Amino acid sequence: METKIKKTIYEWLPEAIVKLDRTITTDYEIIRSVSEYSLSLLQKDNRPKVIDVFKIINMLYQEEHAYTKHCIENEFICNFIENSPALKLKEYLYDMPSPLKEAFIKTLIEL
């Protein structure tokens, strides 16, 4: 069964998940892969593409489904927080759409 997360990421960010098997990959693995992709883009200073990723993740986050929100908080945001330098996190917050930024800050406080 194709979920909203799978459908959206495969359509809008296929380059973020090229190594994943579409038939057996979970939503959590997909979101984690998108997070890793975002971090790699930031290391290459490709900020415009990261902003696009933030917009797509935010679009999914705003769907209001608890499962989707947990998936994004647990795999995208937590991975981002754990693997980014603290000073850079502040910069990234400016690039995030407001709902994603709120989730990011909430998750950061909970960690």
Side-chain angles (χ1 to χ4, degrees):
M1 182 174 110
E2 189 140 286
T3 64
K4 177 78 172 182
I5 290 173
K6 280 185 182 181
K7 195 179 293 186
T8 302
I9 300 302
Y10 276 96
E11 182 177 337
W12 292 91
L13 292 170
E15 66 275 14
I17 50 174
V18 293
K19 297 178 184 175
L20 302 179
D21 182 345
R22 187 175 188 154
T23 59
I24 60 170
T25 304
T26 67
D27 289 340
Y28 280 83
E29 292 168 323
I30 289 171
I31 295 297
R32 178 67 163 213
S33 182
V34 172
S35 180
E36 296 291 337
Y37 173 70
S38 299
L39 290 167
S40 73
L41 289 172
L42 287 169
Q43 290 175 346
K44 298 174 189 170
D45 287 328
N46 192 344
R47 198 175 197 121
K49 185 62 179 174
V50 174
I51 292 170
D52 290 341
V53 172
F54 287 161
K55 289 176 183 175
I56 294 164
I57 294 297
N58 185 62
M59 180 180 64
L60 284 168
Y61 192 79
Q62 288 184 344
E63 288 290 312
E64 298 294 326
H65 298 289
Y67 171 79
T68 302
K69 286 185 175 219
H70 290 148
C71 186
I72 290 169
E73 289 168 1
N74 292 337
E75 297 300 325
F76 186 84
I77 295 174
C78 284
N79 186 44
F80 214 86
I81 290 169
E82 292 168 357
N83 293 299
S84 295
L87 294 174
K88 291 280 188 182
L89 287 176
K90 184 177 176 184
E91 291 176 29
Y92 307 149
L93 283 173
Y94 291 114
D95 295 333
M96 290 183 188
S98 189
L100 186 60
K101 185 184 305 184
E102 291 170 18
F104 196 94
I105 292 168
K106 181 188 93 165
T107 305
L108 183 60
I109 290 168
E110 290 173 354
L111 289 177

